[in-house]
Structures are given as C-alpha cells and as structure tokens.
Amino acid sequence: MPFAKGHGTENDFLIINDPDGDLSLDPSRVAALCDRRAGLGADGLLRVIRAQALVDNGELDKLADGIDGDDWFMDYRNADGSIAEMCGNGTRVFAHWVIAQGLIPIPPQGLTGEGISFTVGTRAGAKPVIVHAFDARHADVSVEMGAPEVIGLSTAKMAGQSYAGLGVDMGNPHLAATIPGLDSQALAQLDFEQPEFDSEFFPNGLNLEVVTPLENGEVHMRVFERGVGETRSCGTGTVAAAVSALADAGTVTGEVQVNVPGGQVKVEVREDGSTLRGPSEIIATGLAAL
C-alpha cells in the first residue's frame, strides 16, 4: 500500500490515497500502521478520499453544508484507529499533500497574491484552506477552523495535578486550562499522563491543553490528545488554547502565537470564526506491507 508521511509542527501523520474508498482501514490496521515500534509510526492517519465516496460506501449519511461530492475529504483516524472529527495540523498537511500531488488544479500563472484557496471536507464540516506557498517538501497553509464554541468550565486531573479550564468545542472536544503564573520552563517539567475528567461534561473524551498566560501576544502549550497521548502539537488544541488565554486576559478575540513543543503557529480568533496558520512538511513516501 503506497503511503506518505508528513507533519505539521511535529504532529505527524501517515497519508493514504484512497479516492474511491477501496481500501480496508479498520481500527486494528490503522493502529498497526501508526505503531511507532512495529509499524510506520504516527500520531494519526489521513485518508485522502472523495467526499461522495464516503456517502456511497455508507461511511457518512450525508455531506455537511459546503462540502461538494468532488471535494477531497480528510478522513482522519487517531493512532489507536478511532475516528476523529477534525485535526487542524492534519488539515494543513492534507492540503499540502493534495496540492503537491496535483490533485488540486493550479492556475497557469502559479501561486499569486494570498495563494490558492479550496475546501477540505472533514467530519466537523467544510474547512476552507489557503496554501500560501508550497513545494514537494514544505508548505505554508492557513485553515479556517470555524467559530470556537465555549461550552463551560470543567476540571481534569493529570498526574495528581488538577487543571481547571474552558471547555471548547472545535468540532472535537477540548479542555484548555490557562494556569496563572505558569511559564514555559515550568510547563516543560509537568508530568503528562492519561487525564481523569468529567465524563458527563465530556461524553466523547477530551483533548487536554495546559497553557501559559498570554504575554506579548504569545503563549506556550502542551497537549494530551484522546486516542493518542501527548503529542508535539495539536491544531484544534492551539485554537482552544488561544481562546482560553484570551479569555484569561479579559477578551474574546485577537491574534495569538502559540508555541508548542514542535514549533509555532499563528491563531486568529474572530467573533465569526478562527484561523490557524502554520507549516507543513512531507518527509517520506514508500510502500507499507501492513
């Protein structure tokens, strides 16, 4: 099975082209592929499939508003094989891959102005993207992430430490905890493990972000992702972190540079939505025997 591997701020993914939905990608096979010792190793898997094929195959009941049948759909799987609604870093890598592979037409004059815009289908809805620049290896991509929905306050416990934060729905569930007085060095020393949380508040599990307070327009963040564990970055999590840090600073909109272990991204939170901009890198292609 041909595959590629890429990462967005070191949140890494396997990429499988399956335009008509012909491949068997049951949870055990995905988990085997993503295994870092016995497989290829990744935080998740991006299946590149036409949106209509998911409906025709009975994997989706219908397409969300804004997604056409011919659009490329990011069918995202966590490292344990479970299906996730959305992945911001994955969307950047997905957009990079489809345009670098010629699956998205490029005007004869090439990239001009802001770049090339198109829609990526996800289980969290249509995600408009802009590829500002790209080559076969690197890209700079913006993703319209939609309007963050603050769903209330909750707490989680991790490694004996209690974290209080904002519940933020980004199409997938987050608890973003901005901790007063926390700096980047103290953040790096925290123990991260499977968190305990309120299952009534988060019936589908959660992604837990621990965030430093906003200072000079930037924050630092670490994340524990459901179905994966701690990762080097989480795109939807960076938006949730920005929402939490802005709220902690007494506002609801603004631009935030979010520093994660794998690099930096820029998040803009508006009244009507949010945008995530950052790098993508395709690092390998090959054949998988699993």
Side-chain angles (χ1 to χ4, degrees):
M1 181 173 64
F3 76 94
K5 186 171 181 178
H7 73 87
T9 49
E10 298 184 8
N11 196 186
D12 60 340
F13 310 96
L14 300 178
I15 308 165
I16 304 295
N17 283 347
D18 187 23
D20 299 318
D22 297 325
L23 294 175
S24 172
L25 289 176
D26 59 79
S28 61
R29 190 179 194 190
V30 172
L33 287 165
C34 292
D35 188 289
R36 293 195 180 276
R37 292 180 175 83
L40 299 170
D43 291 327
L45 184 146
L46 312 176
R47 182 192 189 197
V48 182
I49 186 171
R50 290 288 189 188
Q52 188 60 43
L54 286 166
V55 177
D56 294 343
N57 294 346
E59 297 180 60
L60 287 179
D61 293 333
K62 62 179 182 179
L63 298 179
D65 292 344
I67 303 176
D68 294 329
D70 286 339
D71 286 338
W72 291 107
F73 194 102
M74 182 185 71
D75 182 17
Y76 180 65
R77 316 297 177 92
N78 292 316
D80 66 355
S82 60
I83 291 174
E85 302 89 346
M86 174 56 185
C87 176
N89 291 327
T91 306
R92 295 203 316 277
V93 174
F94 185 97
H96 180 192
W97 175 254
V98 295
I99 199 167
Q101 291 295 299
L103 302 178
I104 298 295
I106 300 173
Q109 67 272 25
L111 270 67
T112 60
E114 268 295 292
I116 294 179
S117 302
F118 54 97
T119 296
V120 173
T122 77
R123 285 182 166 80
K127 300 300 176 185
V129 301
I130 301 174
V131 178
H132 301 280
F134 80 96
D135 57 27
R137 180 74 184 265
H138 301 95
D140 175 19
V141 183
S142 292
V143 181
E144 177 55 45
M145 301 291 286
E149 180 185 357
V150 176
I151 56 177
L153 300 173
S154 189
T155 60
K157 182 176 288 187
M158 182 169 58
Q161 177 72 43
S162 183
Y163 295 97
L166 282 184
V168 182
D169 187 344
M170 290 300 305
N172 57 357
H174 295 267
L175 180 65
T178 300
I179 309 300
L182 184 69
D183 61 23
S184 59
Q185 289 185 337
L187 174 66
Q189 293 171 1
L190 293 176
D191 292 329
F192 268 48
E193 61 182 36
Q194 179 65 48
E196 302 173 26
F197 58 90
D198 184 346
S199 59
E200 292 186 4
F201 195 92
F202 292 107
N204 298 313
L206 58 69
N207 303 285
L208 175 61
E209 290 82 30
V210 182
V211 190
T212 63
L214 187 64
E215 184 176 359
N216 298 322
E218 62 181 294
V219 299
H220 293 259
M221 181 197 93
R222 286 174 64 189
V223 58
F224 193 100
E225 289 195 62
R226 61 173 182 166
V228 187
E230 184 178 7
T231 59
R232 302 281 292 172
S233 180
C234 171
T236 52
T238 61
V239 179
V243 170
S244 175
L246 288 166
D248 180 70
T251 187
V252 295
T253 61
E255 295 185 3
V256 180
Q257 176 174 297
V258 183
N259 300 288
V260 293
Q264 300 85 33
V265 297
K266 293 181 180 179
V267 174
E268 180 186 10
V269 180
R270 311 180 307 276
E271 291 186 356
D272 63 345
S274 60
T275 304
L276 168 66
R277 181 171 180 172
S280 165
E281 188 170 355
I282 305 298
I283 59 173
T285 59
L287 295 174
L290 295 173

